[in-house]
Amino acid sequence: MAHLLPLRVFLSSQTQETPSKPLKLSKRSNNHKTSISTAKKGLLSPSHKMHKLNLEVSPHRAVSAVRLMRIEFGGAFADLLNEKGKGSGDNEMGYVERTLGFRTRDLDDRDLRLVTDIVGGTIRWRRYLDHLIGSLCHDESMFRSMEPLLLQILRIGFYEIVKLNMPPYAVVDENVKLAKVALRPGAGNMVNGILRKLVLVKENNSLPLPKLEGDSRAQARALATLYSHPVWMVRRWTKYLGQEEAIQLMMWNNSDPSFSLRANAAKGITRDDLVMQLNSLKVPHEVSLHLDDFVRVKIGLQNVIRAGLLKEGLCSVQDESAGLAVSVVDPQPGEDIIDCCAAPGGKTLYMASRLRGKGKVHAIDINKGRLRILKETAKLQKVDGVVDTIHADLRTFAESSPMKSGKVLLDAPCSGLGVLSKRSDLRWNRRLEDMEQLKNLQDELLDAASTLVSSGGVLIYSTCSIDPEENKDRVEAFLVRHPEFRIDPVNRYVPSDFVTKQGFYFSDPVKHSLDGAFAARLVRTL
């Protein structure tokens, strides 16, 4: 399951329709799948407020508040990129109008950048911000009973003051206006009082933060607040990495993400061509140190999107860690490769590009809709001639299909703990219980994929996780069940800095400044 999404999926800022009338939540829920309910006391009816233009409310704050509501309660993704017309200013303002019942002035480029920064940052720092908000409320019950839209407005204000260091009293004034218009005057007064308390304690360097002391549980809770991660993740990483490395990992997850672009060789685009395009767009970049087709981009990706480079299939957004996993597969022209959990298709498309028009990638996936998008993207990138899509559950497909291949890739469904810097919402959507279920699924898929490998062929198991229980532990358990396979060290395929003692590929976010990823080559000897 590659973690590169094609443009229409990766850049979409919504996954479901928002209801067409003003909304408000009466109670906050810890369940991110809670649906957004209708009508709340103090909200004007649609006939009173719909189509109303309010020029006093800051547009980026109104959009950020509504998008945060959609992410937490409506199931939308916390995307960091916006395609024109999908997450663009007009589209986002439509959500504000349907949710709050009014529009602000149109968003300019600066507003859109602020929305990206504030939404991503507020989600990353949610636990930290909520601790501060709760500490500065009159009592704990006030915080726990706070209506969700009011809480989002406070989170935005706290993030702007504490993390973005914006002029504090301008932040107070603008968020008070938003609360008064979107909710009621009393809500604005509450925002005013709490934000002013924050300004005072920040100026006095006395933010109410927990101290790192006590037993391991107490320290894990403190670290979870200070670095804004779930407690179970902190305890898990401290166990496997030690406290200092766990802190460094959380700091990486909280940093602004960087992206990589892959030049599409199948359309005749070299990395030099892509670099020329980026220079013409004045987008700062660095060439990859590890892959010939990749370029790193920290800022300016919106310029790339607006220029149409992704829509035209000239390049793709794909992390180098995923590209290195494809290097472990080592696709060669003329080969037939089975990709077992292919959609949405990042690795599929890169493998297809490396076949140079000769051979085939058989892309199997259980999700018919995402396979359709993969097929469309393959056509866009001029690799449709070597990509064959198969809609099936791998486990049942492997039982009945006579298909065999010398190379089989299982890019398995996983926790995604290696991509938390890009997927800022993912840390709050994962539970410890998920890990056990995922391990069972990964074992089942590995067993199924192994039956598709011909004698002397290779099975490549990969994830976008940094968790050893999803990575080396799964491989070791597989080898116990399947003594007909042995480890084929990856040192011939990736730089030595990425090779573990066991001969696996591993990308460490802190060490390599890339997404976390894992891959193992397993040769069938019988």
Side-chain angles (χ1 to χ4, degrees):
M1 180 179 291
H3 55 83
L4 162 71
L5 301 183
L7 182 65
R8 57 185 286 185
V9 176
F10 187 78
L11 305 184
S12 171
S13 62
Q14 66 272 355
T15 57
Q16 63 184 54
E17 290 298 318
T18 298
S20 58
K21 55 185 177 181
L23 307 172
K24 203 71 57 70
L25 291 165
S26 58
K27 290 186 178 180
R28 182 157 48 96
S29 169
N30 291 327
N31 182 352
H32 71 280
K33 293 183 180 178
T34 302
S35 61
I36 301 181
S37 60
T38 57
K40 164 125 184 71
K41 182 179 178 181
L43 179 70
L44 296 179
S45 67
S47 60
H48 288 152
K49 294 185 73 175
M50 190 61 71
H51 307 303
K52 180 179 179 181
L53 180 65
N54 190 309
L55 298 178
E56 294 184 0
V57 172
S58 168
H60 80 259
R61 292 183 175 92
V63 168
S64 295
V66 170
R67 196 193 286 192
L68 287 167
M69 291 279 284
R70 290 172 47 230
I71 291 165
E72 189 166 351
F73 297 98
F77 288 118
D79 289 334
L80 300 173
L81 309 178
N82 299 301
E83 179 189 3
K84 184 70 174 175
K86 285 181 175 286
S88 65
D90 186 64
N91 181 267
E92 293 286 359
M93 197 54 67
Y95 274 102
V96 170
E97 182 173 10
R98 292 193 293 275
T99 306
L100 304 181
F102 66 89
R103 297 178 72 92
T104 72
R105 66 168 173 79
D106 292 338
L107 284 82
D108 56 26
D109 288 346
R110 177 180 178 276
D111 292 322
L112 285 169
R113 287 194 298 271
L114 279 170
V115 169
T116 297
D117 291 344
I118 289 171
V119 170
T122 300
I123 292 170
R124 285 190 195 93
W125 290 100
R126 191 176 83 186
R127 186 184 183 97
Y128 175 89
L129 298 173
D130 284 359
H131 172 83
L132 292 179
I133 294 168
S135 299
L136 297 180
C137 284
H138 290 305
D139 53 61
E140 187 176 337
S141 63
M142 175 190 291
F143 172 71
R144 295 197 176 280
S145 62
M146 191 175 291
E147 56 202 293
L149 179 57
L150 177 58
L151 178 60
Q152 303 298 355
I153 294 171
L154 282 169
R155 285 171 175 167
I156 290 169
F158 272 60
Y159 180 72
E160 290 177 326
I161 290 170
V162 176
K163 293 298 181 181
L164 293 184
N165 292 311
M166 288 185 173
Y169 290 101
V171 173
V172 173
D173 183 58
E174 292 293 335
N175 282 288
V176 166
K177 286 179 184 177
L178 175 59
K180 285 183 176 180
V181 175
L183 291 163
R184 57 194 172 277
N189 294 337
M190 180 181 290
V191 169
N192 182 64
I194 295 174
L195 286 181
R196 285 180 178 275
K197 281 186 183 180
L198 173 66
V199 173
L200 182 61
V201 297
K202 184 173 184 287
E203 288 176 347
N204 292 331
N205 294 315
S206 57
L207 290 174
L209 295 173
K211 295 181 179 179
L212 191 58
E213 58 187 15
D215 61 17
S216 61
R217 289 179 178 272
Q219 290 192 34
R221 288 194 296 270
L223 288 171
T225 296
L226 291 170
Y227 296 98
S228 196
H229 280 70
V231 175
W232 74 265
M233 284 187 192
V234 176
R235 289 179 61 82
R236 196 173 185 89
W237 292 337
T238 301
K239 170 186 173 183
Y240 286 122
L241 305 173
Q243 189 176 98
E244 188 56 41
E245 286 193 36
I247 289 172
Q248 291 178 14
L249 176 59
M250 289 187 285
M251 291 173 64
W252 164 263
N253 292 339
N254 288 334
S255 63
D256 291 335
S258 60
F259 298 89
S260 294
L261 299 174
R262 173 177 64 82
N264 185 12
K267 293 195 79 166
I269 304 298
T270 66
R271 182 167 69 180
D272 288 344
D273 296 329
L274 180 56
V275 165
M276 287 181 61
Q277 293 272 11
L278 295 175
N279 286 334
S280 68
L281 295 170
K282 295 181 171 54
V283 174
H285 57 274
E286 297 176 354
V287 296
S288 168
L289 300 176
H290 315 297
L291 294 161
D292 293 339
D293 297 331
F294 285 70
V295 178
R296 293 189 185 188
V297 175
K298 186 73 175 179
I299 59 174
L301 198 52
Q302 289 290 343
N303 295 341
V304 176
I305 297 166
R306 290 193 193 96
L309 302 189
L310 276 68
K311 274 188 174 181
E312 294 170 16
L314 304 181
C315 63
S316 300
V317 178
Q318 187 168 31
D319 197 78
E320 290 168 76
S321 62
L324 287 166
V326 170
S327 294
V328 173
V329 181
D330 190 33
Q332 296 296 323
E335 291 182 332
D336 267 23
I337 301 171
I338 299 176
D339 189 352
C340 292
C341 295
K347 293 184 179 71
T348 309
L349 296 167
Y350 187 28
M351 288 192 295
S353 176
R354 288 178 60 160
L355 293 183
R356 309 297 180 190
K358 299 177 181 179
K360 189 72 73 174
V361 179
H362 305 280
I364 304 169
D365 203 88
I366 197 171
N367 189 311
K368 191 173 185 178
R370 300 211 309 176
L371 268 183
R372 184 182 66 251
I373 294 172
L374 168 56
K375 196 170 183 178
E376 293 172 359
T377 311
K379 186 174 182 180
L380 174 71
Q381 296 189 8
K382 300 293 185 185
V383 293
D384 49 314
V386 295
V387 173
D388 168 38
T389 57
I390 302 170
H391 176 228
D393 184 323
L394 173 66
R395 292 164 293 186
T396 55
F397 177 84
E399 289 177 359
S400 58
S401 174
M403 182 182 289
K404 300 284 184 181
S405 175
K407 284 185 179 175
V408 176
L409 169 64
L410 173 60
D411 190 28
C414 68
S415 65
L417 295 183
V419 298
L420 296 184
S421 69
K422 290 186 174 69
R423 285 292 309 276
S424 55
D425 56 331
L426 190 58
R427 70 186 70 178
W428 310 120
N429 297 337
R430 283 283 180 257
R431 303 171 303 160
L432 181 58
E433 295 79 8
D434 296 337
M435 303 300 289
E436 202 63 37
Q437 296 175 12
L438 282 167
K439 288 191 297 182
N440 293 336
L441 175 61
Q442 288 155 1
D443 286 344
E444 291 176 6
L445 294 173
L446 265 168
D447 290 342
S450 70
T451 67
L452 303 177
V453 183
S454 58
S455 179
V458 61
L459 170 62
I460 299 93
Y461 172 72
S462 69
T463 74
C464 57
S465 175
I466 57 172
D467 195 282
E469 293 188 21
E470 294 185 274
N471 295 337
K472 72 176 184 65
D473 289 5
R474 300 278 54 75
V475 173
E476 291 170 358
F478 171 79
L479 292 175
V480 171
R481 298 193 306 274
H482 295 272
E484 70 274 21
F485 282 85
R486 64 171 176 81
I487 296 171
D488 180 22
V490 303
N491 53 290
R492 291 175 293 165
Y493 308 101
V494 296
S496 60
D497 197 39
F498 293 91
V499 182
T500 71
K501 291 179 181 179
Q502 298 94 337
F504 304 139
Y505 157 67
F506 182 66
S507 171
D508 183 318
V510 175
K511 180 180 179 182
H512 300 117
S513 297
L514 302 175
D515 286 348
F518 171 89
R521 283 178 64 96
L522 306 169
V523 174
R524 187 179 197 116
T525 57
L526 298 176

